[in-house]
Structures are given as C-alpha cells and as structure tokens.
Amino acid sequence: DIQMTQSPSAMSASVGDRVTITCRASQGISNYLAWFQQKPGKVPKRLIYAASSLQSGVPSRFSGSGSGTEFTLTISSLQPEDFATYYCLQHNSYPPFTFGPGTKVDIK
Amino acid sequence: QVTLRESGPALVKPTQTLTLTCTFSGFSLSTSGMCVSWIRQPPGKALEWLARIDWDDDKYYSTSLKTRLTISKDTSKNQVVLTMTNMDPVDTATYYCARIGYCGGDDLDYWGQGTLVTVSS
C-alpha cells in the first residue's frame, strides 16, 4: 500500500503569513493527489484536486503543486477562516486510497 | 445537486456487526465510471479510507480492514451499504460516505455529513 506523510504535523501561524504544507508518497502517484480542509465538527472540504487544480469556489490564495512523490499545499496569505486541519489524499488509480496524517494550522 | 446521507445505529456493542447505509441523490451508480467510497474518522484523529464500490460492482477495501468489511449497492434505491463485523471500541468514529465522479482517476468530490458510531457495552 502507498503510505503518505505530511509535514509539519502542526504549525502556528499569523494572519497574512504564507503557509506551505508538504505531503510525500511512498511511491509515485503521478498527480493523483487531493487536499482537504477540515474544521472541528465539520465535513472535510476539498480544496485541490489532481495535485494543482483549484476546486470551484475555493479562494485563489490556496494552491497546490507537485507530482510523483512530493506535493505541496500553499496558502499565500493566511486568513482567520483558514485555521483548520489539512489532509492530503492519494487516489492512485488502483485502491486502496490513503490519507495523510493531517497538518493542524492554528493561530500564533 | 449531489447529496449523500449516512444512516445507521449510533451505538453498537463490542463484537456486533455494524451496518451503515449511504443514500444518495443527484447521480446514479449505474452510470459508467461512477463510484462511492466510505471513510471514517475516530474522534480527534485522522481520516481513514475504508472501501469503494464501482458502477460495475467492482469492490475495493482497506488492506488492514478487508477481512471485516463488505460493501454493496442497490442501484434501484440509490444506496450503498457498508458492513463491518466484530466491532471494537477502537472502531468508534464518524463514518462518511463520499462520491467519486470517475473511478478511473477522480477523488472524493461530494461527502455526506457523517454519522457518529460509538462502540460500547
């Protein structure tokens, strides 16, 4: 099975900061990677699909990049509503799929 | 629009079998390329992918849980059912179902609200 790691596992940041979260796959997954945002008690919300495509309705301050085994989610200017936990998901065409362990972004 | 809703017992006893139903609208599992997955999340922990069923009835399971999971569909009722045997307190979690718009490459684009299942005697 493909294993996913995320770094950092948690971070403190201030409004306006540029934030970068990294997700690594144990083997190449092309661009079969999505990013989700989850706030406490809420359903995960897809931000990015196919590694770099922005989900409709998601602010442009969110962006994704990468291919193969290393991927990044960048928030260009952190807003108060962005404090949440972020998960990557690899969905290489043949299951099982795997989520990363998550990155919690909280207020500095 | 696409909606999904999970239903099932809120409380199960250890060793019992859990049966969850995902009822959806806005798409059909008889459409070529469509599929539905189940995901769970223990309180305060990460998301965990569980299973997937495809439009053509192909089924896939988490490697660590595959001996306990069964996924099935009733296309006429727009439902997907997940059963998990031999429940344990560590299986306490919110269980979500989610749509995959194209089995061959898409991810989880629409999610249900989730249903919390507690395993306790």
Side-chain angles (χ1 to χ4, degrees):
Chain A
D1 293 1
I2 297 172
Q3 308 302 317
M4 304 299 291
T5 59
Q6 280 184 241
S7 58
S9 56
M11 62 181 300
S12 296
S14 301
V15 172
D17 284 353
R18 182 181 181 88
V19 168
T20 299
I21 299 168
T22 299
C23 184
R24 290 185 175 87
S26 60
Q27 63 189 73
I29 57 170
S30 184
N31 69 335
Y32 292 106
L33 187 107
W35 289 97
F36 293 84
Q37 175 194 66
Q38 189 180 33
K39 298 179 180 179
K42 300 296 186 183
V43 178
K45 172 187 175 184
R46 188 171 73 167
L47 302 175
I48 301 288
Y49 62 95
S52 59
S53 295
L54 189 67
Q55 175 72 27
S56 175
V58 172
S60 58
R61 62 181 180 273
F62 291 93
S63 64
S65 65
S67 182
T69 61
E70 187 159 330
F71 303 84
T72 59
L73 174 71
T74 300
I75 309 171
S76 60
S77 177
L78 196 68
Q79 298 302 301
E81 59 270 28
D82 300 336
F83 292 97
T85 300
Y86 294 85
Y87 294 95
C88 60
L89 167 72
Q90 73 80 17
H91 59 100
N92 199 32
S93 59
Y94 190 78
F97 298 167
T98 322
F99 286 94
T103 296
K104 184 175 181 181
V105 179
D106 62 17
I107 302 172
K108 183 182 286 184
Chain B
Q1 76 276 26
V2 173
T3 64
L4 303 98
R5 185 183 76 251
E6 306 85 354
S7 58
L11 179 67
V12 297
K13 290 179 167 47
T15 75
Q16 286 186 335
T17 293
L18 171 68
T19 299
L20 295 173
T21 301
C22 174
T23 304
F24 54 86
S25 64
F27 68 96
S28 173
L29 255 183
S30 61
T31 299
S32 176
M34 200 68 68
C35 40
V36 169
S37 268
W38 284 93
I39 305 100
R40 72 177 180 179
Q41 186 174 38
K45 296 190 177 181
L47 297 163
E48 179 182 20
W49 181 85
L50 298 177
R52 186 183 103 182
I53 189 164
D54 295 358
W55 65 280
D56 58 0
D57 213 36
D58 280 348
K59 300 162 187 175
Y60 304 92
Y61 298 100
S62 159
T63 300
S64 62
L65 292 169
K66 61 184 176 181
T67 61
R68 299 174 53 207
L69 295 174
T70 303
I71 193 170
S72 62
K73 63 181 173 70
D74 186 330
T75 304
S76 66
K77 292 183 179 178
N78 280 351
Q79 290 181 334
V80 171
V81 175
L82 182 75
T83 62
M84 180 180 291
T85 60
N86 195 24
M87 293 292 285
D88 183 272
V90 301
D91 297 313
T92 294
T94 297
Y95 287 76
Y96 298 98
C97 62
R99 188 191 83 154
I100 301 170
Y102 174 57
C103 308
D106 284 353
D107 62 276
L108 311 166
D109 58 357
Y110 290 92
W111 293 58
Q113 288 300 303
T115 185
L116 175 62
V117 178
T118 300
V119 184
S120 175
S121 54

